[in-house]
Structure formats: structure tokens, C-alpha cells
Amino acid sequence: MNYIGIIPARYASTRFPGKPLAMLGGKPVIQRVYEQVSGVMDDVLVATDDERILKTVEGFGGKAVMTRADHKSGTDRCYEAYVLQGKPYDVVVNIQGDEPFIQPQQLEAVKACFEDPQTEIATLVKPFTPADGWPALENVNSPKVVVNRRMQALYFSRSIIPYQRNKDKAEWLKGHVYYKHIGLYAYKADVLKELTSLPQSPLELAESLEQLRWLENGYTIKVGISEIETIGIDTPADLEAAEAFLKNRTKRYTF
């Protein structure tokens, strides 16, 4: 199978306008994402709606295409970019443009989900550990995932799921393995086309999580597990944390 990695990157952001161009360790965030993906995929492409991002990507030698500004999700932008680039690929991997610490091992893990020929969509999770603490578990910006025995997603939620009825909350992380969703998706190319034609669903609108639209419409989402922590950048404060992380990274990470 062959894989194309597409990185949706908008300039407009309610919490952090222009974050793809924000500097992180001397490079724009979008460049760090691009460099992490290059070499793992058969091709890599940034999908943007802003000339400044397009020129920045081309400036460091990357590939980018201009997409419409009115897309409601990164998945929609990803599909338009896939069509515009013109080459057929078996799987399209949607990499968040604000995940500069995405690791090659994580990309390989999501690719491995397609070793099962029944896989339509794949994503990654990371187990929460007791050391993460309660604040990390209850963070609504860190969606939780429950899976079945076949490692397929049953549900995604900003709430803590499952609720442990007969245990004190201080013990929840010790009594159950909770999974944190990592915002990395991959889709069979024909499935991606189908997904973009689906209207927004009630669960999606309630949780503001587009993957619930797919589950509501009967698609299955294969889940791979990663033990690597990533830092998404949603706010200027997140960028500061990413700078600190970059400076204090262990030898496990190479950027």
C-alpha cells in the first residue's frame, strides 16, 4: 500500500491566529510538522487556505496546495488537497498541523492498522498513567476513547469515559486504563471521499468531535496504541510549553 501524508494548516484560529507560522526552536511550527512526516510517507503535502503558509512551506522546500477557506473540518480540507494533487494513493494520512512532535513511530503505528484489510479509518491513542494525574484526565481538550476487544473505537468524548461508579475519583487512573486520543487519522482514499459527503451529526455537534460523525454513520475506526507523548499547540501558552519541551527533550526524541 502507498501512503500520502496531508497536513491541514489554517491561518485563522480563535485561540491562536497564525500558529502554523509561529516560531518553535527557530523554525515555523508547520516546518517542524512537515519534517517529522517526511521520510515516513510516500509523499507529504500541506493543505492551506493562506498564501503566507503556502509561501513558507515552499520556502523550506516543502509541497503545499491552496484549498478553500470555508471547510468545516480538517478532513474536508484534506480530501480537497488529495484531489488537487492528482495522484492515486491507497491511504491518506491526516496529520495535525499543530503537532510538531509527531514521531515516525506513531506514523508507522497508524499505517500498521491497515495490515488488517478491513480497516476503513485508523487513529492513535496513548494510555493515561497514574502519573498523569486527575487534571490531565479531566481536561476537555484531551478527548478520551473507549475501544472494543478488536481495538476499534466505541466512542470518543471530552468527558471521562468510562465513569467508575463505585470508586473514588482519586483511584480512577489506578483502576482502569483510560486512553487519550492523539489527533492523527488515516483513511482509505475511497472512504475519505465518502466521509466528506456526510452531514454533521448530533453527537459530533454535541462534543465538537468530527470522528463521532463517522461512528454514527456506521464506519469503524481502528485504534493503534502509542506510548509517546505529544504536545499539540492550541494556544500561545502551549507554544511556550512546546519550547520548554524542545529544550529539555530526552535522547528518545530527535528533531
Side-chain angles (χ1 to χ4, degrees), residues 10-187:
R10 296 187 312 122
Y11 188 89
S13 170
T14 302
R15 290 182 288 181
F16 194 173
K19 66 180 176 181
L21 303 182
M23 299 303 289
L24 173 60
K27 297 179 180 179
V29 168
I30 192 63
Q31 182 175 354
R32 289 205 169 270
V33 179
Y34 195 99
E35 290 175 350
Q36 290 300 103
V37 178
S38 297
V40 184
M41 301 291 156
D42 296 291
D43 202 1
V44 183
L45 186 68
V46 172
T48 187
D49 60 355
D50 191 275
E51 288 281 354
R52 289 164 289 188
I53 296 174
L54 180 79
K55 290 178 180 178
T56 296
V57 173
E58 293 176 341
F60 63 71
K63 299 178 183 178
V65 293
M66 287 292 292
T67 55
R68 302 201 323 263
D70 61 347
H71 287 305
K72 293 184 178 180
S73 72
T75 300
D76 294 330
R77 191 175 308 283
C78 193
Y79 180 64
E80 184 190 359
Y82 174 69
V83 172
L84 288 173
Q85 61 82 37
K87 298 178 183 178
Y89 287 89
D90 298 308
V91 176
V92 180
V93 184
N94 179 350
I95 299 107
Q96 300 284 344
D98 56 5
E99 288 276 359
F101 301 115
I102 193 75
Q103 289 291 298
Q105 301 98 304
Q106 293 173 304
L107 297 168
E108 294 291 357
V110 81
K111 287 168 62 178
C113 291
F114 291 90
E115 293 173 3
D116 178 352
Q118 300 302 312
T119 298
E120 298 176 313
I121 307 166
T123 193
L124 286 186
V125 298
K126 179 185 181 297
F128 284 96
T129 68
D132 291 325
W134 180 259
L137 186 62
E138 70 174 350
N139 182 0
V140 297
N141 293 317
S142 182
K144 274 63 69 174
V145 191
V146 289
V147 298
N148 64 19
R149 291 180 182 270
R150 298 178 63 189
M151 288 306 294
Q152 296 170 333
L154 292 173
Y155 194 70
F156 297 78
S157 182
R158 297 184 184 279
S159 299
I160 302 173
I161 50 173
Y163 181 94
Q164 296 188 55
R165 183 175 180 181
N166 297 314
K167 287 190 177 181
D168 186 274
K169 290 182 178 180
E171 301 297 316
W172 280 15
L173 280 168
K174 296 179 182 178
H176 180 80
V177 178
Y178 288 89
Y179 290 112
K180 169 186 177 180
H181 185 222
I182 295 174
L184 175 66
Y185 299 108
Y187 335 77

Side-chain angles (χ1 to χ4, degrees), residues 238-249:
D238 292 336
L239 182 64
E240 292 180 10
E243 282 282 5
F245 182 80
L246 193 60
K247 291 177 181 177
N248 298 297
R249 67 190 184 277

Side-chain angles (χ1 to χ4, degrees), residues 179-231:
Y179 290 112
K180 169 186 177 180
H181 185 222
I182 295 174
L184 175 66
Y185 299 108
Y187 335 77
K188 292 260 182 77
D190 56 342
V191 172
L192 175 58
K193 180 180 180 180
E194 294 172 7
L195 297 180
T196 59
S197 68
L198 299 174
Q200 288 188 293
S201 68
L203 291 176
E204 174 191 9
L205 292 170
E207 295 256 21
S208 192
L209 296 172
E210 66 171 320
Q211 60 269 38
L212 294 177
R213 183 194 320 180
W214 313 335
L215 291 181
E216 279 193 85
N217 281 277
Y219 290 89
T220 58
I221 303 176
K222 188 77 170 180
V223 175
I225 296 179
S226 171
E227 298 293 338
I228 300 172
E229 185 60 84
T230 60
I231 298 177

